[in-house]
């Protein structure tokens, strides 16, 4: 196994009615004035925002609000948040929503504490030296941004979706109340479950060595999400199932499932980022639509790890060869995705890219043929195009 | 499942040669002068202390040292550390050793930042309001103190061993180099493995509800330790096995294996604390010597959870009844303890308490018949005495 650095300072306050503690949690951070950042009207309609405002008022904390964050959050909204935050002199950003809102909040945090253009960090031109404190009240279990060091933003100029990771942006706290996810449409719930699984799969399917304990934790997490995603299909207001998925979402991307590994593959994520940058699809659905094609393209490099996934997570019986077991596992995973209504091809995703669009996707994903992605198998521009073509269905 | 609060801010730097980063890690905490706290001469003889001093000097960090911490660390040494730390004006305490040294460092940290007698916290007379920053370079995988909020100290006046828990004392960082544990005597290695398993077992065997994901993580952790403890019996310098056990030790007691549960039982720990307080036995060995008797005394309250342990962790095949499966699991656990040379009775622990001593142990453990312990089954003074008697062997 490899050396690793594990750092998850986010305080998690998990369970029913925990959003009422938001004001107290910000007070403990010794912050005075908050930018409350959110997305659509659902947090307004549900009354959640009002409950949070009440909790801030109870602690004497001032606040300003900025809503309107969209899925695949936009750089323009980030710039709006930076300007507002600076004008109002806020010292804390509270994200109320899912991964898009938290990612946008982190980007605002970078922009408020570093000189120059915030996009530079996402364009990998500079590294951030700080981030304004950020906290989260989570309403969608999916991205894991509430405990991760990641943030992904889309620049409308060219529809370029890029991520930036830094420990400075780790949330000071995350309020996780599973009840807040009851009203999510099924498609969003299941897309979230795919995203959660992928954060672990990307690390589990790697090309280096692993720790047994990391593998065991990852397998337990994947089995838990598979079971509870299927349960939520039938019972969206099952508290226990919502809670299992929500906690899995945070653990899946906080670093735990990568300890001792080579850091993971993440090619499926990169391939999907271009898809949702160009076609604005839901991230989790985009992931399930490309994963199987990616897996078939690379599994012969590490049939052992794909076979472990098949047997230990998907309960596939061992076949005559490791490769056959691995392949049966990929099929079983696609069967699972279908069972929860998730696409396993681009056609099922309702995206039908032209030949030219596929070349454009691969061109963008390879940064103009200047980078490879993945570690199970290093993928260049032509590999990426091949996988997009395989994924068409 | 129950609401929970999860907070593990300790930065973990894991792997070969990581002790060389100690100075840099303290510099990042913006601290200037360190009390280096350690136990026996082994860290001197191995050259570890010199390497750490070199790392401090390289960062221009001043230091004073205080060695001589013993297993079941003494209050008198804590007082010595508080006096030295205050005289020298240190602003950071670096523990180089195992759980005893880290626990002693935390107690010094409390004593240096709170008015009054530090024992008050352990005697549950007051709560601490702060703790000087503490960091750890771990040399024994066992107690989990490097990521936990716990500290256990023995007051020589009456040989009273008491714990105190507070997030203030969580280590700022933990340097975990598995190679530093190569030279541990086998008995210490295996006692450590028992202690690690018990931190998870105490939470896994509870009387409330559980999260499936927490159960799955706990079961993976227990299986990993069982396998690697047996491996270390034959190959004490197996890096991978040392690493699996070391990381399991930190995860076992940082809160992860208790998320969503009722907090766990911890009766075995309380029963053992009195044993090691009175007879100065190794903590892990004391735990294995009482666990089976505790388990037989309480398992009928929650045969379902004991049966899960039997089937999922110890690979026991299901018997005709849940109770029979549970009992077979307890036997399998004792077989495992024996297989790594750990005692499963007080006689095997080489402790043969008289009738009067058993009454005294129960008297102390029940705080003079004023408290119960445990949640699987609440245990009063007479229950405690009965378990000590069952454990005699």
């Amino acid at each position: 196994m490899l050396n690793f650095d594990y750092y998850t300072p986010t305080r998690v306050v998990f369970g029913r009615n925990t959003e009422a503690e938001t004001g107290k949690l910000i007070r403990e951070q010794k912050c005075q004035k908050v930018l409350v950042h959110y997305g659509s009207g659902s947090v307004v309609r549900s009354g959640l925002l009002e409950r949070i405002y009440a909790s801030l008022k109870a602690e004497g904390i001032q606040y300003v609000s900025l809503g309107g964050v969209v899925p695949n959050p936009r750089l323009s909204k980030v710039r709006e948040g930076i300007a507002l935050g600076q004008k109002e002199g806020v010292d804390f950003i509270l994200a109320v929503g899912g991964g898009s809102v938290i990612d946008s909040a982190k980007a605002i945090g970078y922009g408020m504490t570093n000189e120059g253009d915030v996009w530079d960090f996402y364009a990998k031109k500079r590294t951030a030296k700080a981030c304004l404190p950020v906290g989260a009240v989570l309403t969608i279990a999916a991205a894991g941004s509430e405990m991760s060091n990641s943030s992904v933003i889309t620049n409308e100029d060219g529809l370029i979706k890029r991520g930036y990771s830094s420990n400075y942006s780790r949330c000071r706290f995350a309020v996780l109340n599973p009840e807040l996810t009851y009203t999510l449409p099924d498609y969003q719930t299941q897309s979230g479950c795919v995203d959660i699984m992928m954060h672990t799969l990307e690390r589990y399917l790697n090309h280096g060595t692993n720790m047994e304990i990391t593998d065991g934790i990852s397998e337990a997490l994947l089995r838990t999400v598979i079971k509870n995603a299927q349960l939520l299909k039938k019972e969206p207001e099952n508290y226990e199932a919502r809670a299992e998925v929500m906690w899995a979402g945070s653990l899946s991307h906080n670093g735990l499932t990568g300890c001792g590994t080579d850091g993971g593959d993440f090619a499926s994520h990169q391939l999907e980022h271009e898809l949702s940058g160009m076609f604005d699809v839901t991230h989790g659905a985009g992931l399930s639509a490309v994963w199987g094609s990616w897996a078939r393209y690379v599994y012969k490099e590490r049939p052992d790890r794909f076979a472990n996934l098949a047997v230990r997570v998907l309960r596939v019986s061992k076949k005559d060869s490791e490769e056959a077991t691995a392949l049966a596992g990929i099929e079983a995973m696609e069967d699972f995705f279908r069972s929860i209504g998730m696409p396993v091809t681009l056609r099922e995703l309702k995206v039908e890219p032209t030949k030219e669009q596929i070349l454009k996707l691969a061109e963008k994903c390879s940064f103009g043929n200047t980078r490879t992605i993945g570690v199970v198998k290093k993928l260049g521009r032509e590999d990426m195009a091949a996988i997009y073509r395989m994924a068409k269905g």
Side-chain angles (χ1 to χ4, degrees), chain A:
Chain A
M1 73 194 61
L2 302 175
N3 286 13
F4 63 87
D5 202 318
Y6 178 76
Y7 181 57
T8 60
T10 305
R11 178 171 168 199
V12 174
V13 181
F14 192 104
R16 298 179 202 268
N17 305 318
T18 44
E19 64 273 20
E21 297 183 41
T22 310
K24 190 166 64 68
L25 289 163
I26 294 173
R27 171 67 56 218
E28 285 172 7
Q29 296 294 328
K30 303 187 182 2
C31 292
Q32 310 291 336
K33 189 167 183 181
V34 177
L35 173 61
V36 179
H37 200 39
Y38 62 97
S40 69
S42 67
V43 297
V44 181
R45 287 192 302 277
S46 70
L48 174 60
L49 220 47
E50 277 309 313
R51 295 206 298 284
I52 288 171
Y53 292 155
S55 149
L56 298 179
K57 284 175 196 157
E59 295 289 335
I61 294 165
Q62 291 186 282
Y63 60 89
V64 290
S65 298
L66 179 64
V69 180
V70 295
N72 302 315
R74 305 296 156 139
L75 180 59
S76 57
K77 180 62 70 177
V78 170
R79 296 202 200 286
E80 196 183 334
I82 295 167
L84 178 65
Q86 283 172 335
K87 176 172 155 255
E88 296 284 345
V90 306
D91 56 6
F92 193 92
I93 307 172
L94 179 69
V96 181
S100 298
V101 177
I102 303 171
D103 285 7
S104 186
K106 289 175 177 176
I108 294 170
Y110 288 133
M112 283 188 63
T113 51
N114 293 275
E115 297 292 314
D117 185 6
V118 69
W119 184 250
D120 287 354
F121 307 127
Y122 295 84
K124 309 287 183 294
K125 289 184 189 163
R126 295 186 294 141
T127 57
K129 304 289 181 216
C131 185
L132 207 70
V134 175
V137 178
L138 193 66
T139 62
I140 306 175
S145 187
E146 68 278 6
M147 283 191 91
S148 82
N149 65 351
S150 305
S151 159
V152 182
I153 297 295
T154 297
N155 187 339
E156 297 94 320
D157 183 7
L159 287 178
I160 302 166
K161 188 171 176 178
R162 293 282 179 268
Y164 182 64
S165 299
S166 155
N167 280 335
Y168 291 121
S169 76
R170 296 230 187 221
C171 286
R172 301 299 175 96
F173 63 79
V175 168
L176 306 187
N177 177 356
E179 294 176 313
L180 300 181
T181 66
Y182 279 178
T183 55
L184 266 185
D186 180 65
Y187 188 77
Q188 297 300 325
T189 297
Q190 302 300 344
S191 294
C193 289
V194 173
D195 195 14
I196 291 166
M197 290 178 65
M198 286 299 304
H199 289 142
T200 291
L201 280 173
E202 296 276 26
R203 294 169 166 98
Y204 184 82
L205 298 168
N206 63 51
H207 203 19
T209 57
N210 270 52
M211 291 184 85
E212 288 171 22
I213 190 167
T214 299
D215 275 355
I217 289 170
S218 297
E219 290 155 5
L221 187 150
L222 291 167
R223 287 192 300 262
T224 301
V225 178
I226 287 173
K227 178 182 163 186
N228 289 286
Q230 290 176 321
L231 198 50
L232 287 174
K233 195 93 192 141
K234 291 174 281 186
E235 304 174 27
E237 300 200 1
N238 182 318
Y239 181 83
E240 303 287 315
R242 288 283 182 190
E244 298 284 355
V245 166
M246 194 170 224
W247 188 218
S250 297
L251 293 180
S252 195
H253 206 28
N254 76 358
L256 182 68
T257 61
C259 292
T261 75
D262 59 13
D265 188 87
F266 285 92
S268 300
H269 261 80
Q270 304 299 345
L271 291 165
E272 196 289 323
H273 279 179
E274 300 311 326
L275 278 180
S276 51
M278 191 180 289
F279 300 103
D280 206 19
V281 298
T282 301
H283 178 54
L287 286 168
S288 68
V290 297
W291 183 82
S293 298
W294 166 81
R296 284 189 182 81
Y297 196 84
V298 308
Y299 78 98
K300 288 185 181 173
E301 302 290 322
R302 286 306 296 262
D304 56 330
R305 299 208 58 77
F306 279 88
N308 284 348
L309 174 69
V311 173
R312 299 181 190 168
V313 175
L314 296 156
R315 313 295 194 192
V316 167
S317 56
K318 283 190 184 176
K319 311 298 174 199
D320 292 342
S321 71
E322 211 168 43
E323 287 196 3
T325 308
L327 206 49
I330 295 169
E331 284 163 16
M333 186 65 86
E334 290 184 323
D335 287 345
F336 162 70
F337 287 151
R338 280 198 199 90
S339 78
I340 56 168
M342 285 287 106
V344 299
T345 64
L346 295 182
R347 182 161 295 136
E348 290 176 17
L349 184 64
K350 299 193 174 32
V351 166
E352 305 207 26
T354 62
K355 282 185 186 172
E356 291 68 33
Q357 284 176 318
I358 281 181
L359 293 178
K360 178 77 177 166
L361 287 166
E363 181 72 13
K364 288 172 78 176
C365 193
S366 63
F367 291 7
N369 207 19
T370 64
R371 73 157 179 179
T372 61
I373 60 171
V375 297
V376 175
K377 183 182 171 80
K378 277 199 200 316
L379 304 173
R381 187 179 58 184
E382 310 316 319
D383 301 301
M384 298 170 194
I387 294 170
Y388 284 125
R389 275 191 291 272
M390 283 169 70
K392 285 186 75 174

